[in-house]
Amino acid sequence: MSVVASVPEEVPKKLGVRAAYFIVEVTAERLNRITRLFEEGTLVPHVGTVLPLADAREAHEMLGGAPHKRGKIVLQTE
């Protein structure tokens, strides 16, 4: 299984996973391709926590290490 995530460099070492650091130039073409992958179901995010936008502070605290379910933290606007 392959997983792509944006994490601080030290996290993979602590968790015992293999990681590669790279820099990507964001372009409209690349964003459109990623959108198509989501729409096709080829790229599926693992969502762990969904919070209302009003709880953005709590989401930020989770990114800083506060306990939360494994997976992406999503802020919902509706």
Side-chain angles (χ1 to χ4, degrees):
M1 177 173 77
S2 297
V3 177
V4 176
S6 174
V7 296
E9 193 172 342
E10 67 276 2
V11 171
K13 293 175 186 172
K14 286 194 258 183
L15 298 177
V17 298
R18 185 174 64 100
Y21 178 78
F22 59 94
I23 297 173
V24 176
E25 180 185 342
V26 178
T27 64
E29 179 183 341
R30 288 179 177 156
L31 292 174
N32 289 332
R33 181 161 185 225
I34 291 171
T35 298
R36 282 193 305 275
L37 292 173
F38 277 115
E39 290 172 345
E40 294 167 357
T42 304
L43 186 59
V44 181
H46 177 81
V47 177
T49 303
V50 179
L51 299 168
L53 185 57
D55 292 341
R57 177 185 294 247
E58 182 180 348
H60 188 75
E61 290 170 356
M62 290 176 179
L63 290 173
H68 63 89
K69 293 179 186 174
R70 183 176 181 179
K72 300 297 179 192
I73 301 166
V74 177
L75 291 174
Q76 193 169 37
T77 58
E78 296 177 14

